[in-house]
Amino acid sequence: MNRRISKNQIFRIVGILVFSIYISIYFPPVVFGDKATLTNPSIVMIVFVFLAGFLISQAIQRNRQLDYAISVEISRLRRIVHLTRNITAPAAWKNSIKKDTVDYLNKVAISGFRNYHEAHATFRRVTKMLYQYTPKTGRDQIIFKELLEVSRDAAYHSQRVGQLVQTYGSSYVWWVLGVVLVINIILLLGSREPGFTSQLFIAGAIAGLLLVLDMLYEQDMLTKGRSRWYQAMYAASAKDLRQMYR
């Protein structure tokens, strides 16, 4: 899923840069006396970046699975409507299938992914009507067989979407990352030397750590921007189905 950078993301990046420069310049000096040589933050920084990078990789894979599950679910729902329009059945039955499918897509688009499971009752009405249908001709039997396969696939990916949108990194891991980040910042501030050049390099290191943490947040959490992007996909499909079969 390729999305343009949002205003919130830009504000967070700018805020991180401003905060890093500010804290590096104006934070009171941290004096370690004769032990100043022990403030080398390299090892702790490596641990932080390695752990955060591993978690970012996991989050990216999870997001790709979510992208795929949503794409397949939507395509299978559209396929259900298309197939029912070509089967021998009363018009009222076909319209009910379309209406409930569109209602399901709209509910997901409006209510949000936090309440994703609440929309499943509408989807179950679609599958219930499909299971009650009895094919009348050989052609209907072929289409109905595909309908069952498509509905089963849609149901599976619907469950996958519901599972993936509720899957995040462990709160314990986030706490550990936060503690390691604070330790890194303290060590970086303790290794400052007099002069703007040292402060600028320290600010760059702090900004780098915070940007890595922000990247993990963006990938691990279902942010409002990403949720709205997914919801727009459901809303667009609902609109297409309404216009296609009026």
Side-chain angles (χ1 to χ4, degrees):
M1 178 184 64
N2 295 319
R3 295 186 295 116
R4 294 181 179 179
I5 187 170
S6 67
K7 291 182 180 180
N8 288 336
Q9 291 171 329
I10 294 176
F11 290 152
R12 290 208 306 267
I13 293 174
V14 173
I16 286 173
L17 295 176
V18 172
F19 172 78
S20 300
I21 294 174
Y22 177 84
I23 194 175
S24 178
I25 295 176
Y26 295 104
F27 193 81
V30 181
V31 181
F32 289 94
D34 297 335
K35 305 297 183 180
T37 56
L38 299 179
T39 62
N40 186 345
S42 301
I43 297 178
V44 185
M45 288 180 66
I46 292 173
V47 172
F48 175 84
V49 173
F50 175 80
L51 180 58
F54 174 74
L55 295 173
I56 289 172
S57 177
Q58 282 191 326
I60 290 175
Q61 292 179 6
R62 188 167 62 249
N63 288 336
R64 287 176 178 172
Q65 293 174 1
L66 179 58
D67 293 346
Y68 177 76
I70 289 176
S71 178
V72 173
E73 182 196 15
I74 292 176
S75 68
R76 297 302 183 267
L77 291 171
R78 293 170 63 95
R79 184 65 177 164
I80 288 173
V81 176
H82 296 331
L83 288 172
T84 54
R85 308 307 291 189
N86 293 280
I87 205 169
T88 304
W93 183 82
K94 296 180 181 181
N95 291 333
S96 295
I97 293 287
K98 186 202 76 171
K99 179 181 180 301
D100 286 341
T101 302
V102 171
D103 286 347
Y104 171 71
L105 292 169
N106 279 328
K107 283 184 178 180
V108 176
I110 295 173
S111 63
F113 282 90
R114 300 295 182 185
N115 304 316
Y116 179 79
H117 288 288
E118 295 180 4
H120 282 189
T122 307
F123 177 71
R124 284 193 292 270
R125 290 205 302 266
V126 175
T127 56
K128 183 178 180 180
M129 284 188 290
L130 289 177
Y131 297 152
Q132 291 175 347
Y133 175 77
T134 302
K136 297 179 180 179
T137 66
R139 178 175 178 274
D140 290 343
Q141 289 179 351
I142 295 174
I143 297 177
F144 184 65
K145 180 180 179 181
E146 184 176 353
L147 264 172
L148 293 179
E149 293 175 354
V150 171
S151 63
R152 182 174 63 247
D153 206 17
Y156 169 76
H157 284 93
S158 176
Q159 292 295 326
R160 285 290 292 157
V161 172
Q163 178 188 25
L164 290 169
V165 296
Q166 298 294 335
T167 304
Y168 310 104
S170 169
S171 58
Y172 173 76
V173 173
W174 275 97
W175 272 101
V176 170
L177 277 176
V179 171
V180 175
L181 176 64
V182 171
I183 293 173
N184 269 300
I185 292 176
I186 292 174
L187 292 178
L188 284 167
L189 293 175
S191 64
R192 283 177 302 175
E193 297 178 359
F196 181 72
T197 302
S198 175
Q199 294 172 344
L200 187 62
F201 277 104
I202 296 300
I206 294 174
L209 293 174
L210 292 174
L211 287 172
V212 169
L213 189 67
D214 184 72
M215 185 183 301
L216 175 59
Y217 167 79
E218 186 69 26
Q219 294 296 327
D220 190 49
M221 300 296 180
L222 184 61
T223 60
K224 290 184 178 179
R226 193 150 57 93
S227 180
R228 284 195 291 265
W229 176 272
Y230 291 138
Q231 289 175 268
M233 295 173 61
Y234 284 89
S237 293
K239 182 179 179 180
D240 289 344
L241 289 175
R242 276 198 309 266
Q243 294 178 345
M244 193 177 301
Y245 299 111
R246 290 182 175 178

